[in-house]
Amino acid sequence: MPRWNPSTRGGDGHLDGVRNDRGSASLEFIVVGLVLLVPLIYLVVVLGALQSASLGAESGARHVARAIATASGPGDAENRAEAILTAVSREYRLDGDRTAVSISCRPASVECPSAGTTLLVRLDTRVRLPFLPAIWGLDEATAIPVQATSAQKVSRFWGEP
C-alpha cells in the first residue's frame, strides 16, 4: 500500500491539485459545438445567397445582351430584355429594386444598339445578408454588391425589316 505524502495533495484535498471534472466533457462539447457550428451554418447560407446572385447577374447580363443583339428592332429588343430580366429575377431571387441594367455600345460614337456594334450589358445587384434586421439601415449597409458584364456582337442586319 502506497504511503500517504502530504506534499502531493493540493489545498482542496485533491491529488496533485487536480479537480475531478467527470461529466463536463459532454457539456463542453455541446457549448463549443454550438459556438462553432452556428457561424459555420450562417457562412454557408451567406455564400449560397452570393452564389445565387452571382449566377443570376451573369445569366441576366448574358441573356439580355443576346436578346437585344438578335432582336429585329428597338421595340422587340426592349420587350425581350424586360421579359428576360423578369424571368432571371424570379429564378435567382434577385431584388428588382436593387437590380440595375446598363447598356452601352462600342464604338461609342454610334447610336446604341445599331448594326455592327458590340453591345455591352452590365447588370448590377446587391445581396442582403440573411437574418439581418432592417433597423438603422443595417440591411442596406451590409448588402454586398454583385455585378456581371456581357458583350455581344450585334448583327449587321439588325433593325432591318
Side-chain angles (χ1 to χ4, degrees), residues 62-116:
R62 182 170 31 97
H63 289 303
V64 166
R66 187 175 298 150
I68 292 173
T70 59
S72 61
D76 185 34
E78 186 176 340
N79 292 339
R80 285 177 161 195
E82 287 178 13
I84 288 172
L85 283 176
T86 301
V88 167
S89 295
R90 186 175 54 247
E91 178 81 22
Y92 292 99
R93 296 182 188 98
L94 299 178
D95 188 2
D97 297 335
R98 293 189 173 113
T99 302
V101 177
S102 62
I103 300 171
S104 62
C105 290
R106 299 288 186 261
S109 60
V110 297
E111 183 182 340
C112 188
S114 61

